[in-house]
Each structure stands twice: as C-alpha cells, then as structure tokens.
Amino acid sequence: MYQMNTTLSADAVDFIDDVKLEAMVAGLKEDPEAVRRVIAKSLRKEALTVEETAILLGAESPELVEEIFEAARTVKRDVYGNRIVFFAPLYVGNYCTNNCKYCGFRSSLKSAVRHTLSDAELVREVEALEELGHKRLILVYGESPKYSPDFIAHTVRQTYATKKGNGEIRRVNINAAPLDEEGFRIVKEAGIGTYQIFQETYHKKTYAEWHPANTMKGNYMWRLNAFDRAFRAGIDDIGLGVLFGLYDWRFEVLAMVTHALYLQSKFGVGPHTLSFPRIKAAEGLDLNLKYQVSDNEYKRLVAILRLAVPYTGLIMTAREPAELRREVLAFGVSQIDAGTKLEIGGYQEDRQKGEQTLNREQFKVGDTRTLDEVIGEILEGGYIPSFCTSCYRLGRTGEHFMEYAIPGFIGKFCTPNAIMTLAEYLEDYASPETKAKGMALINAELEKLDGKLRTEVVKRLEQVRSGKRDLYF
Ligand code: SAM
Ligand code: SF4
C-alpha cells in the first residue's frame, strides 16, 4: 500500500504570523481617505499588500462599505467581463480518518453512512452530470488510505473517459487531502485541473481546537505546506480557501492574502482561485458559533478579496442561499456550482428527488435550484454562463495563465468561448425557456464583438447548431 512521506519540504516556512495578524485586526479603524487610496490602487488592477487589505477591512460605515462594493463590481466587470463559469462537485468517497468537528464525514460520527463510489457508480454519476450539461467537475474525497494518489488518479482518468451523448467532462479539478510530492506527481499525470484544498482556519489555536492533534489533519504545517509540495511536483494551478465561521473573518482574509502573496513570490504564480465557504449545518454540529459570519460581513469579505487579488478567480458554492448568491455574484465571483448534490451517489436519477439526508452528506447546501434554473436566472441578470475550459486545455495555466492579465484577452478569447459553450448548453440541455433567454443574450453579446471576430464566432455558432461540439479559441 502507498506510504506517504510526511516530511515537510526542507524550506517549509510558517509564513502566517498569528501575533502580527491579530494585532492588525485589533488595530483596525476606519480611515476613509486611506480606503479611497487603496480602492484607487485596486481599480488600477494592482494586487494589494496585506496592510492595504487591512485598511479596507477597517471600513465600517455603510457609505464607505458601499464604495468598496462599487469598486468590486467595477473590477469584476473590467477583469472578468460578465461571464460566470459553472462547475459541479462530485463526492467520490466519504471514508475519513480525520475528525474535523464541523464535518459530517468526521471519523467519530458513527451514524454517517460511508461509501466509496465503485467504478460503475462513478461512471453513472459523471453521466448524470453530463446529462445536465456540466463540463467541469471537482472530485471530492475524504482523507483515507483508500484514497491513495493512484486511486485519485484512476477516478480522474475515469471521469475524463466517461462520455454520454454529446456530454463530456473537459476539466477535472480535485479537492483531496494534502499529498506528498510523489502523490502530487501521480495526480498531476492524470491531468487534473486545479488542486484545491482549504486551510479551514489560518489561526493556529483555533485550528487545533477544531482538528484533533491525533489526526493527520491536526498537523497545521503539513496542510499549510501542501501547495509548496504541489508546485514542486509540477502542479501550477491551485485553489486555496478558508471555512468561514471558525475564527474572526478579518484575520482569515488577511491570512488568505498573505498565503496568496507568499506563493506568488516563491513560485512566481499565485492561486488560481480562492474559496470562502461559510460553515453550514452538519450532523451533530452546533451552529451557534462565536465567529459566524453575517450576510453583510460575507459580502464585505468577498468584495475585499476581489479588490485585494484582482486577477484571482473567486469561487462561491451552493452552500450559500440563492438570494445572497445573486447579490454577491456582482462583487467579483467568477465561478459557481449549481444543481449540487453532496450525497455520495446523489446525482443519479433515482436519488434526485429525495430530501437531503444529513447522514449521507457532509453538510447542507443553501441553494438547491437546478442548473437550468440557475442558468436561466443569471441570463436574466445579463451574465453569460460559461462552460469554457479552453485555457487549461491549451496549456494556459500557471505563469502562462495570463487569462485576465493580458489586455483584450477577455474580449478575444473568454467571451467568444463563453458564447460557444453556452450555445452548446442551449442546444443540448436547456429547457425551452432557458434556451430562449440564452439565444437572446448571445445575440446581444454578438453585437458587442468587433466585425472580424463576430463573423468568426457566428460561423462557429452555425457549426454548433449543426452538431459540432467543443470549438474554442
Ligand atoms: N477531506 C478533504 C479536506 O478536508 O481537505 C477534502 C474534502 S472536504 C469534504 C472539503 C471541504 O468541505 C473542507 O475543506 C471544509 O472546508 C468543507 N466543510 C466541511 N464541513 C463543512 C460544513 N459543515 N460546512 C461547510 N463546509 C464544510
Ligand atoms: Fe474528513 Fe475533510 Fe471532513 Fe475533515 S473536512 S472530516 S478531512 S472529509
């Protein structure tokens, strides 16, 4: 059986200075002039320092907070345009040796129904997701010797190989426990897109309270050092995150920015995405937490992250309720999931109609609408739902991942690709209402393209209509 080498990299450093960040949080105060200066820097699309991020966190008055929201909307529009990329999480197995006190998969929860998808079940799940129109998945695993790098690599390959009708998964990301360098090499070879892992909380004392020391996850540094090992193994596309509600959200925002800047300076590549889930109900979890993040604080943290790292994708998951998701989209979220099922095996048709049952799930989702419903709604909001996976497949990742940095990139590549993947979705999967809305949006977007590009996109849209798939720039 695979034996993980749990030695930290020789140059592993603890770059999170709890005392310094605590002092920054304690010293936060509103300084409107400084806030406006920092906003101006973000609007020039320059990444902020940790100190500048703290200045934004100090803003409390509704008027100043609104200025931050408005700036986030502007950065989102300028950097990302009006696309929203869709993905779906797929839970492969919930055996877990860890005992994270907030998680419905924790080892001490004996009532949890444990299961690992068999090959045949995985294929059925992937087919079910393809039949909804998904092109991009994130496979999720508990931490267990069952989920060795070879097992993970196998499930990734199997996901890519599964094709139903016009459906195919074009990008497979993973959210799996930290591996050693060799393990990361193995999963990289299987063609993973983003390697995602959340630190949960960067605050060491809190981390120790939620993650018992006698578990692998109890080792804070092993987790903090995970992306260093991933980079060394050749993975240059990573996603970091915090589980908000465990500790002071302002500390966590400063720590996330610290982590992003650390990776950028050490490896020349920052994170591709940041995730900021809030803790949700799970079996046996008392949600009456001291550090619960209110909706208003949540909006502030998303907007501030947007301004702090203008070129990093922001992922908001279905953990959040539909109404809040609508509002926060405008602040700079670039990826969302929809139609999410957290139950192992939950996408297969026979389980679709069932109520959420906590003993099979990790936690409750807040937005239970179908993919088609969410797409229909965001179309009404003027967004282009995108299933594009082009950059990753053309090798535009890591330091070559200039997607957002190159002037004109969005207009030349992202928007046309979003339009074409939306057209595929409308042809193959959308309800008649969503299709009508989508066609209207495509026509409006075509008007905005310059002549030559428009002609090219129209030509390819014709090809999509006549059955061709997977056309991209
Ligand atoms: N086992 C791996 C790990 O812990 O990193 C990966 C999978 S774990 C299922 C994915 C994420 O789910 C965790 O990183 C955690 O942030 C999140 N999670 C766990 N319990 C949660 C809860 N009650 N509410 C919201 N998110 C939760
Ligand atoms: Fe296991 Fe991950 Fe849940 Fe912790 S969060 S108990 S490691 S599945």
Side-chain angles (χ1 to χ4, degrees), residues 357-372:
T357 45
L358 269 180
N359 69 346
R360 297 187 71 99
E361 288 179 338
Q362 192 193 11
F363 52 81
K364 282 264 183 209
V365 289
D367 186 347
T368 52
R369 295 172 300 166
T370 65
L371 178 62
D372 190 71

Side-chain angles (χ1 to χ4, degrees), residues 44-310:
R44 294 194 299 274
K45 291 180 258 343
E46 292 172 36
L48 301 182
T49 62
V50 178
E51 288 71 22
E52 288 163 340
T53 309
I55 290 174
L56 298 183
L57 288 168
E60 291 283 349
S61 63
E63 303 75 38
L64 205 53
V65 168
E66 186 47 46
E67 287 183 39
I68 291 175
F69 289 169
E70 192 45 39
R73 288 185 197 107
T74 306
V75 170
K76 149 92 180 157
R77 260 195 316 271
D78 289 359
V79 178
Y80 294 87
N82 57 346
R83 294 161 309 125
I84 300 286
V85 171
F86 277 84
F87 71 96
L90 171 50
Y91 281 67
V92 178
N94 65 351
Y95 282 90
C96 197
T97 53
N98 292 323
N99 204 10
C100 315
K101 294 181 186 164
Y102 46 75
C103 180
F105 294 166
R106 66 190 180 276
S107 58
S108 62
L109 195 65
K110 300 300 172 213
S111 61
V113 179
R114 308 275 168 186
H115 187 61
T116 305
L117 295 179
S118 67
D119 283 2
E121 286 170 331
L122 177 63
V123 167
R124 284 208 298 279
E125 287 285 287
V126 174
E127 285 178 348
L129 284 158
E130 288 175 352
E131 284 182 327
L132 296 173
H134 282 291
K135 299 283 183 267
R136 183 190 284 245
L137 301 186
I138 182 156
L139 302 185
V140 186
Y141 313 77
E143 178 156 9
S144 158
K146 290 175 191 291
Y147 310 139
S148 67
D150 284 321
F151 172 83
I152 293 174
H154 170 72
T155 54
V156 169
R157 291 201 174 92
Q158 202 176 32
T159 302
Y160 280 126
T162 301
K163 296 180 200 284
K164 183 88 194 269
N166 277 340
E168 62 177 349
I169 300 303
R170 300 174 181 159
R171 179 178 171 111
V172 181
N173 301 329
I174 63 168
N175 182 318
L179 303 172
D180 58 9
E181 259 185 67
E182 180 52 22
F184 279 127
R185 233 167 259 126
I186 292 169
V187 296
K188 157 93 182 155
E189 261 168 39
I192 61 162
T194 306
Y195 170 63
Q196 183 189 70
I197 192 82
F198 306 155
Q199 188 64 27
E200 318 296 9
T201 170
Y202 284 91
H203 188 254
K204 292 182 190 74
K205 187 165 164 283
T206 307
Y207 189 92
E209 283 162 14
W210 286 93
H211 307 101
N214 61 352
T215 62
M216 198 58 212
K217 191 147 165 186
N219 187 339
Y220 176 100
M221 270 310 286
W222 177 247
R223 204 165 177 90
L224 193 68
N225 186 236
F227 294 131
D228 292 54
R229 298 193 298 280
F231 272 115
R232 282 182 214 295
I235 294 174
D236 59 4
D237 185 333
I238 60 101
L240 57 84
V242 155
L243 182 56
F244 279 92
L246 301 182
Y247 190 58
D248 190 316
W249 66 277
R250 298 163 305 170
F251 179 100
E252 306 288 18
V253 167
L254 294 176
M256 275 174 118
V257 174
T258 305
H259 200 167
L261 294 174
Y262 163 83
L263 294 171
Q264 176 74 47
S265 73
K266 190 161 178 181
F267 299 101
V269 186
H272 183 176
T273 56
L274 301 186
S275 299
F276 32 84
R278 285 190 295 185
I279 194 160
K280 293 286 166 214
E283 192 72 49
L285 171 71
D286 180 1
L287 266 187
N288 200 1
L289 298 166
K290 180 169 173 205
Y291 295 108
Q292 269 298 11
V293 174
S294 69
D295 286 358
N296 190 42
E297 289 166 341
Y298 185 74
K299 288 192 271 181
R300 282 168 65 195
L301 81 85
V302 179
I304 290 172
L305 286 174
R306 175 67 301 139
L307 296 182
V309 286

Side-chain angles (χ1 to χ4, degrees), residues 282-346:
E283 192 72 49
L285 171 71
D286 180 1
L287 266 187
N288 200 1
L289 298 166
K290 180 169 173 205
Y291 295 108
Q292 269 298 11
V293 174
S294 69
D295 286 358
N296 190 42
E297 289 166 341
Y298 185 74
K299 288 192 271 181
R300 282 168 65 195
L301 81 85
V302 179
I304 290 172
L305 286 174
R306 175 67 301 139
L307 296 182
V309 286
Y311 291 114
T312 303
L314 298 185
I315 300 182
M316 178 169 54
T317 70
R319 289 172 179 88
E320 300 306 334
E323 218 162 281
L324 185 68
R325 294 230 289 179
R326 271 177 219 128
E327 210 179 333
V328 173
L329 270 190
F331 295 159
V333 167
S334 50
Q335 286 189 36
I336 60 172
D337 57 342
T340 293
K341 303 265 182 279
L342 298 181
E343 204 177 329
I344 307 274

